Amino acid sequence: MADFIGAVDQGTTSTRFMVFDHDGTEVARHQLEHEQILPRAGWVEHNPLEIWERTETVIGSALTRAGLRPSDLGAIGITNQRETTVAWDRHTGRPYANAIVWQDTRTDAIAAALDRDGRGDVIRARAGLPPATYFAGGKVQWLLDHVDGLREAAEHGDAIVGTIDTWLVWNLTGGPDGGRHVTDVTNASRTMLMDLATLDWDEELLGFFGIPRAMLPTIHPSSDPEAYGCYRLGRRQGEIPVAGVLGDQHAAMVGQVCFEPGQAKNTYGTGNFVLLNTGHEPVRSSHGLLTTVAYQLGDTRPVYALEGSIAVTGSAVQWLRDQLGVISGASEIEALAGQVEDSGGMYFVPAFSGLFAPYWRSDARGAIVGMSRYNTNAHLARATLEAICYQSRDVIEAMVADSGVALDLLKVDGGVTQNTLCMQLQADVLGTTVVRPRVAETTALGAAYAAGLATGFWSGTDDLVANWQEDRRWEPTWSEQQRADGYAGWRKAVDRTLGWVDVG
Ligand SMILES: Nc1ncnc2c1ncn2[C@@H]1O[C@H](COP(=O)(O)OP(=O)(O)O)[C@@H](O)[C@H]1O
Ligand SMILES: O=P(O)(O)OC[C@H](O)CO
């Protein structure tokens, strides 16, 4: 048996390939950023061909750097930024347009219309999602409505569509030459098109968006030795089974071994995503959370989760770097924010894509409030880190309200968790212990786990639980009064951002 499992983590900011051994220890990695295309206010696009080219490059270079051959890998898993949507020609592999990224708000009128005539409630009940620009269904409709010839091509069976997992697996497994057109249950649960009970596309939901079923991929478990085919590397290098596919937040949940109902994780990347395992039955939220498939490992029953999705957290740090020039690298924010004791009364609500959970307000836009002449860049840096933590508190409060269970420990992962000041602020803002695992790349690890479970590299989830090790923890230091006052100010700041733009 091969000694290692690989994982592609295709994120919003970058694409990485990582290789893990049986203990879940990283043995190789390579990562490349891709362009964020911002053609108009509210639009965010990626070039699908760039993403595919970067994926092949990072796989090849990670293996070369570590002196590994493709045959050293027993399988690979794919994990991806979710909801981001690509339509392409099945005969040529040519995308019809840039991918519409999950943060893009161009479909606000489509989403608003769904709530005017009752379709929104059907989507809530069946797909577990509130109508929003975030999800893939509206993006497919937008492409069908705006790209010349796409609807006809879809009806003739020439045009196909998918989220980034689908795009990558199709290319990895041969592209126009027999590539598999597939997705997994977790990615499909982010479309507004899948019934959470049947785990299949729902004809009525497809009808709401005018989407021909034939252009959609087939849906499979997240861990499956057959469904996803093999990465074909060329005659002399052979092929590697693609045996696991799951959305990045679901993969992080698997990587954090949140296999028991009541266990939760918070991933801090471009956005933040808190997922709470709710077991084998989907739980409906009455506090603005999503119901989603957490994972389905092989033929076992799916496990569901409640999710609090936050659109802008790490990308607010990027905004300080790229648009304002306040820092020249993301990691510099920690030293800058550390120059001051607090944010000097300043709050920054980075509602650049409206507000996601628990508010779901596409009419919100970003605001910095509470400023006086006293404030400096250091206060802004601190307010940015606090915004990450307060937004996480918003969704965790909703989770506690929905489940009735208090969270006494929060497992964290993702790029921002390298920022120790931010993690201390998170413990203070929540009044909860925050714990980071030894392998911070839990997203890639979770995809590797899904692939390795399918191929027998790991024999079951107990193997994975045994691999999880704590790296560092942060305990709350603020008084209850400080915590309450800080959060009250945040809620006031959020109010100021609502109703800023007219929608639909
Ligand atoms: N030291 C840091 N402090 C704060 N934010 C950081 C730090 N390092 C990286 N980030 C942010 O983390 C994000 C990248 O994290 P990552 O988990 O790779 O995200 P993604 O999977 O969304 O591409 C970027 O938005 C970046 O601004
Ligand atoms: O690319 P990430 O890690 O920020 O994750 C993006 C999410 O999957 C969007 O739903």
Side-chain angles (χ1 to χ4, degrees):
M1 184 186 272
D3 291 330
F4 307 107
I5 299 286
V8 174
D9 175 4
Q10 203 304 296
T12 312
T13 318
S14 67
T15 306
R16 75 200 86 184
F17 184 68
M18 298 185 66
V19 178
F20 298 96
D21 67 11
H22 199 265
D23 296 335
T25 302
E26 172 186 336
V27 296
R29 135 174 19 198
H30 189 218
Q31 175 171 352
L32 288 172
E33 291 207 1
H34 56 268
E35 190 187 356
Q36 305 296 313
I37 304 166
L38 310 168
R40 297 189 201 180
W43 290 32
V44 186
E45 299 178 352
H46 292 158
N47 177 350
L49 293 172
E50 183 189 21
I51 284 182
W52 164 233
E53 178 237 310
R54 302 264 142 129
T55 302
E56 282 219 294
T57 304
V58 294
I59 296 175
S61 48
L63 292 178
T64 306
R65 285 170 179 202
L68 296 173
R69 291 158 302 159
S71 56
D72 292 323
L73 302 184
I76 57 175
I78 309 292
T79 183
N80 55 291
Q81 53 169 323
R82 306 164 302 167
E83 300 96 14
T84 299
T85 303
V86 193
W88 69 98
D89 183 319
R90 70 158 81 239
H91 309 295
T92 64
R94 188 183 59 81
Y96 285 91
N98 277 334
I100 305 181
V101 176
W102 58 276
Q103 299 159 316
D104 189 295
T105 56
R106 79 185 66 180
T107 58
D108 54 1
I110 293 175
L114 294 168
D115 258 335
R116 278 200 295 269
D117 57 14
R119 288 178 294 164
D121 287 336
V122 181
I123 294 171
R124 281 185 185 85
R126 219 167 285 167
L129 307 174
T133 57
Y134 179 27
F135 306 110
K139 299 179 197 298
V140 179
Q141 180 183 337
W142 192 94
L143 288 166
L144 287 167
D145 290 346
H146 290 85
V147 175
D148 269 355
L150 179 58
R151 188 172 291 282
E152 295 70 30
E155 278 157 7
H156 288 124
D158 298 327
I160 52 178
V161 75
T163 39
I164 294 290
D165 55 313
T166 303
W167 168 246
L168 291 183
V169 173
W170 187 82
N171 279 291
L172 286 164
T173 57
D177 182 18
R180 302 259 176 125
H181 188 217
V182 286
T183 190
D184 93 301
V185 281
T186 66
N187 278 292
S189 76
R190 319 295 302 181
T191 57
M192 302 195 275
L193 306 172
M194 188 186 83
D195 184 335
L196 282 176
T198 64
L199 302 181
D200 201 358
W201 306 121
D202 179 275
E203 287 302 335
E204 188 178 8
L205 298 183
L206 295 182
F208 288 173
F209 298 91
I211 298 173
R213 190 183 176 113
M215 77 184 304
L216 292 172
T218 51
I219 304 174
H220 301 275
S222 322
S223 175
D224 191 310
E226 303 291 336
Y228 301 108
C230 289
Y231 174 27
R232 289 152 55 175
L233 289 131
R235 216 161 5 106
R236 276 185 301 153
Q237 288 177 296
E239 47 185 40
I240 311 170
V242 179
V245 173
L246 66 181
D248 54 9
Q249 303 310 322
H250 316 260
M253 197 147 183
V254 172
Q256 288 273 28
V257 299
C258 293
F259 295 127
E260 299 296 327
Q263 294 182 332
K265 67 87 203 178
N266 191 3
T267 300
Y268 299 68
T270 307
N272 262 46
F273 301 88
V274 186
L275 268 77
L276 171 74
N277 182 322
T278 61
H280 290 299
E281 294 304 324
V283 171
R284 307 293 165 174
S285 172
S286 20
H287 297 88
L289 303 175
L290 311 178
T291 307
T292 195
V293 180
Y295 50 82
Q296 185 187 19
L297 302 176
D299 287 333
T300 57
R301 288 166 66 202
V303 170
Y304 294 88
L306 279 173
E307 174 177 323
S309 329
I310 305 163
V312 179
T313 56
S315 55
V317 177
Q318 289 174 307
W319 184 70
L320 257 55
R321 181 192 68 186
D322 301 337
Q323 255 75 3
L324 301 192
V326 167
I327 45 175
S328 53
S331 60
E332 284 178 19
I333 195 170
E334 183 162 2
L336 183 59
Q339 290 173 9
V340 287
E341 287 293 304
D342 55 38
S343 65
M346 200 167 176
Y347 284 90
F348 171 25
V349 186
F352 297 156
S353 301
L355 284 169
F356 285 11
Y359 304 101
W360 298 108
R361 290 289 295 262
S362 51
D363 61 358
R365 283 299 177 272
I368 299 172
V369 297
M371 280 178 287
S372 65
R373 199 168 165 186
Y374 165 72
N375 291 119
T376 64
N377 280 347
H379 294 118
L380 176 61
R382 198 158 182 118
T384 305
L385 298 184
E386 288 182 0
I388 296 173
C389 303
Y390 281 127
Q391 291 189 98
S392 294
R393 176 161 170 184
D394 281 342
V395 296
I396 288 167
E397 298 250 322
M399 239 159 224
V400 172
D402 271 333
S403 66
V405 182
L407 201 67
D408 51 7
L409 182 141
L410 182 68
K411 286 180 166 179
V412 300
D413 53 77
V416 181
T417 64
Q418 294 313 308
N419 188 318
T420 58
L421 172 59
C422 189
M423 292 303 101
Q424 182 58 54
L425 283 168
Q426 186 67 89
D428 288 331
V429 160
L430 286 173
T432 300
T433 305
V434 168
V435 181
R436 188 178 68 193
R438 190 170 55 82
V439 179
E441 299 292 348
T442 51
T443 301
L445 182 62
Y449 280 166
L453 285 172
T455 51
F457 186 83
W458 287 289
S459 56
T461 53
D462 286 352
D463 275 4
L464 313 182
V465 172
N467 282 348
W468 193 93
Q469 284 176 37
E470 181 174 324
D471 171 42
R472 182 155 178 194
R473 66 172 54 206
W474 292 266
E475 301 291 349
T477 58
W478 286 1
S479 69
E480 286 301 331
Q481 193 60 50
Q482 195 177 359
R483 189 160 22 255
D485 291 348
Y487 192 54
W490 167 257
R491 296 301 290 249
K492 218 157 85 176
V494 167
D495 274 346
R496 300 290 189 273
T497 70
L498 304 178
W500 192 260
V501 291
D502 293 325
V503 172

